[in-house]
Amino acid sequence: MSNQYDAIVIGSGIGGGAIGALLAHAGWNVLLLERNKHVGGRCISYERNGVMMDLGWHFYCLGKVGPLQEVCNRVDMPDAIPWNDLNGTSYIQVGSDQQKYTKQSMYNFVSEAERDNFKRLFSSVFTMTDEELDKLWYVPVKDWVQSYTYDPMAYTLIESFAAQYFCVSADVASCAEFILAFRAVMSSRATAYPSGGNFSVALAYIDAVKKYNGIVKTETPVKEIIVENGAAVGVITEAGEEFRAPVIISNADLKLTVQGLVGEEHFPKEYVDRVNELTYSSHGVMLRVLLSEKITDKQVVIYIPDDKSPPCKVTDEMLEGKVPHLIGGCFGSPSNFDPNLAPPGKQMITSLHACPPDIRANMDEWRESLMRSFYEVYPEAHGKVEKVWVDPPSLVRGMAGETGCIIGIGQTIDQVHEKRPSQISPLKGLYFSSSEAGGNGIGTELAATSAIGLFEAIAPQKDALLAG
């Protein structure tokens, strides 16, 4: 096998798999290298004790009308991802009050005195002009909400969505980024989850790379990106193999790429300084509960214990080492989308909750809090819980790196739009395709838009780039 390629992609996460698929389909000779046995980065599924597990509980908010599907359409594989749409069994629970998830139900949770103000906020999401929106990129979601209402529950409801979308607090999340995402989700009504679990999305892209004659090598960690004459020209693996290409695309952690795989000396000082100050999204703990029988048809329940505990928010108390008595989260049943994701006759329910970067010292307390919260949402589960798994951020850190955070570089007011790292690095020949560079959107969809943007930037320059 030749060691010369048109493009080498480091990492098979959504951004890496997507750019690999797009380039291979366009006729590029692509090599994709993945350090792990499994492809997909954070978007993987694996078997544990006979049960299929996702590394994280992803919702694909735009499903078959979003960028994840657009990648498949562009590579002429429109049916590659087996989407299952959210079928209307989505709920929101505040305290013990659980209601069908609608705009009206959210209005109901807000104080009557502030309800009209909250409705005006919702209306503005869909009526705001591009010029008005453009002024809100660097305004926190919190400030925008409080320009309409100071109702605590109104803020917590909006924060619950911002925190779930971006895994950063609403007092630093970008308002424009949030409004664009919220508008798209509410308008498209295309939230979905694939048969087979998260792995089905990543596998679709890897299958496309292979279909169009690209090479995919797993268990092949990259040790170094080769730089010669001021340009990235290849990689060396930890096994000592050397591969060359005029285009090197990193789907790995942006900081790791700059600091470790390349070396800071190959970049301008101001770029290195900017990379070093970038901050990540928050961390999460996953709860997985296997039930001896099916107890509910609900696919999703967003749980908010009180007006201070939105899902996916790391509180100051958590950072001080305190475990909440009840903790907000996004609960969902993968087996209500795909029955094969639980053993016959049983049900899987999973949930994601924000937490500090390392909770291993008090895992028992976290488990108790998570299960208390679980029973608040599913009281009918008492006596039917067969097995419980609790996965801390260290699992994500071990399998996907990037400190074990949920998404990557956070979509905060100083790290979005023009302030977000570009897919095109200042080092000739080096590019990024991930949820950490360019793009917009929610989680995996952010990574897909990064890949699409990068493809549109470099594909027209193919001849010049490959000629060196």
Side-chain angles (χ1 to χ4, degrees), residues 13-19 22 66-72 74 201 205 251 423 433-435 437-455:
I14 293 299
I19 190 63
L22 292 166
L68 295 165
Q69 179 63 37
E70 183 182 343
V71 173
C72 294
R74 286 182 178 229
V201 178
Y205 298 161
N251 177 233
Q423 296 102 314
S433 180
S434 68
S435 60
N440 64 278
I442 302 169
T444 50
E445 292 168 354
L446 170 64
T449 60
S450 174
I452 292 169
L454 176 60
F455 176 75

Side-chain angles (χ1 to χ4, degrees), residues 155-320:
Y155 174 63
T156 296
L157 287 166
I158 296 300
E159 184 171 34
S160 73
F161 289 99
Q164 288 176 84
Y165 288 173
F166 309 130
C167 300
V168 296
S169 173
D171 57 2
V172 294
S174 163
C175 182
E177 186 92 26
F178 170 74
I179 289 172
L180 285 172
F182 194 55
R183 178 190 294 173
V185 173
M186 297 291 285
S187 300
S188 68
R189 299 178 182 273
T191 299
Y193 181 78
S195 294
N198 290 328
F199 180 68
S200 296
V201 178
L203 185 61
Y205 298 161
I206 297 304
D207 285 347
V209 174
K210 295 176 180 178
K211 177 179 179 179
Y212 296 110
N213 302 312
I215 303 295
V216 177
K217 293 171 67 70
T218 57
E219 299 181 276
T220 310
V222 170
K223 178 182 179 182
E224 176 186 347
I225 293 174
I226 302 168
V227 179
E228 294 177 353
N229 301 317
V233 297
V235 303
I236 299 173
T237 70
E238 289 189 0
E241 295 177 286
E242 184 175 312
F243 301 100
R244 296 264 174 162
V247 172
I248 309 297
I249 302 172
S250 178
N251 177 233
D253 179 4
L254 190 148
K255 288 191 176 189
L256 170 65
T257 302
V258 171
Q259 297 168 348
L261 297 182
V262 176
E264 295 181 352
E265 67 274 15
H266 295 293
F267 298 92
K269 182 180 184 303
E270 61 270 20
Y271 183 79
V272 172
D273 290 344
R274 175 57 178 154
V275 168
N276 289 341
E277 70 184 13
L278 292 170
T279 58
Y280 293 101
S281 64
S282 63
H283 297 74
V285 55
M286 283 287 301
L287 173 70
R288 313 172 197 275
V289 181
L290 179 64
L291 298 154
S292 58
E293 61 184 72
K294 184 174 180 178
I295 64 165
T296 181
D297 289 324
K298 297 168 187 172
Q299 290 177 312
V300 179
V301 180
I302 297 168
Y303 175 53
I304 302 172
D306 54 54
D307 63 17
K308 298 179 180 63
S309 306
C312 299
K313 178 183 179 180
V314 180
T315 64
D316 292 339
E317 290 76 12
M318 290 181 192
L319 293 174
E320 292 170 0

Side-chain angles (χ1 to χ4, degrees), residues 57 62 66 85 123 132 136 153 160 174 180 186 210 230 256 278-279 299 341 346 356 361 367 370 417 428 436 440 443:
W57 172 227
L62 300 183
D85 292 336
S123 177
E132 291 171 324
L136 296 175
M153 185 52 70
S160 73
S174 163
L180 285 172
M186 297 291 285
K210 295 176 180 178
L256 170 65
L278 292 170
T279 58
Q299 290 177 312
L341 294 176
K346 300 182 181 182
R367 180 188 176 101
L370 293 170
H417 200 43
K428 181 180 178 182
E436 303 195 335
N440 64 278

Side-chain angles (χ1 to χ4, degrees), residues 3-52:
N3 74 339
Q4 185 67 44
Y5 296 85
D6 295 337
I8 296 172
V9 180
I10 304 169
S12 66
I14 293 299
I19 190 63
L22 292 166
L23 291 175
H25 175 262
W28 294 53
N29 184 18
V30 174
L31 172 66
L32 189 151
L33 303 174
E34 168 55 48
R35 67 172 184 161
N36 294 316
K37 179 180 179 180
H38 301 282
V39 299
R42 291 178 182 80
C43 197
I44 67 171
S45 305
Y46 56 94
E47 188 174 297
R48 183 194 289 178
N49 301 125
V51 180
M52 186 60 71

